[in-house]
Amino acid sequence: MIRTAETDTALRGRVRDLYDAYYDTLDDVRLADWPDFFLPDCLYRVIPRENFERGYTLSTMQAESRGMLQDRVTGLTTTQMYAPRYYRRFPGPLRISATADGIRTRHNLLIVQTLIDRQSEIVLSAVCHDRIVDQDGRLYFAERIVVIDSEMIPNSLIYPA
C-alpha cells in the first residue's frame, strides 16, 4: 500500500504539529526561530492573487534560502523601528496530499494585528500553498507560497506569514 497523507493519520498529525509550532513561534514573536522551519534551500514567497493565478512570479516578498530568511529576521529585529503590536494568525483547515516531491498542503490564513492603543484589525487574508519534506525524521518547509487576496498591502507585511 502506498503511504499517502490522505490515509496516514500519523503523517497528518505530524504536519498539523508542524503548523501548530510554526504559528506559535510567530505569534509569540520568536522570530529568530522562524527560519529553522525551512530547508537551507527553500522558497518563501508572498504574492498577490492576480499574479499567482496568471502564473507570474512577481512577488511582494521573496526569499530563496534559509539564509535570506535569517537576514530578514535580522532586519526586523535590529534595524526597524515601529509601534509595539501583536499579531495572531488564524489558519484554516488543512488540505494535505502526498506527492513525489513531498507533502503538499493548502489552507486559508487570516492575520489580525493589534496595536496597544487601537482596535484589532485584519491585515492579511491569504491562501497558503506549501510543500513540506521529511528530512532526517523532521518536517521542513521546502516552499511556502502565501497568496494574498488584496492588492492593498499594509506596511506591517514585513512580519512573516
Side-chain angles (χ1 to χ4, degrees):
M1 179 175 171
I2 297 174
R3 184 178 178 185
T4 67
E6 294 85 359
T7 59
D8 189 328
T9 303
L11 180 60
R12 293 182 66 82
R14 290 181 62 209
V15 170
R16 290 182 194 279
D17 288 346
L18 171 69
Y19 280 103
D20 288 347
Y22 181 84
Y23 288 120
D24 282 350
T25 297
L26 293 178
D27 286 352
D28 292 345
V29 197
R30 291 180 280 131
L31 297 178
D33 297 337
W34 174 59
D36 294 336
F37 286 92
F38 292 84
L39 288 174
D41 292 321
C42 62
L43 175 64
Y44 174 83
R45 176 182 291 160
V46 178
I47 184 170
R49 182 179 184 156
E50 181 178 359
N51 288 356
F52 180 79
E53 289 178 348
R54 292 182 180 186
Y56 301 147
T57 58
L58 182 61
S59 303
T60 305
M61 180 186 317
Q62 181 165 311
E64 298 174 356
S65 70
R66 184 187 296 159
M68 290 178 76
L69 297 175
Q70 290 166 332
D71 286 346
R72 178 155 198 80
V73 170
T74 299
L76 273 169
T77 57
T78 62
T79 64
Q80 303 288 318
M81 294 189 64
Y82 41 82
R85 64 194 67 210
Y86 300 101
Y87 289 97
R88 296 286 172 244
R89 291 156 180 85
F90 298 90
L94 279 173
R95 291 185 185 173
I96 303 171
S97 61
T99 64
D101 61 348
I103 302 161
R104 295 276 178 180
T105 68
R106 179 185 188 277
H107 67 280
N108 294 336
L109 179 64
L110 196 66
I111 300 179
V112 174
Q113 170 184 264
T114 304
L115 279 79
I116 293 172
D117 59 345
R118 296 187 190 160
Q119 289 188 339
S120 299
E121 64 180 344
I122 296 171
V123 294
L124 184 84
S125 171
V127 177
C128 302
H129 301 269
D130 301 332
R131 184 169 63 89
I132 298 167
V133 297
D134 187 331
Q135 189 171 75
D136 301 324
R138 182 177 167 194
L139 297 180
Y140 293 92
F141 291 105
E143 293 178 10
R144 180 157 174 82
I145 311 296
V146 180
V147 181
I148 54 178
D149 292 331
S150 175
E151 293 180 3
M152 300 299 293
I153 308 296
N155 290 339
S156 55
L157 185 62
I158 58 173
Y159 276 94

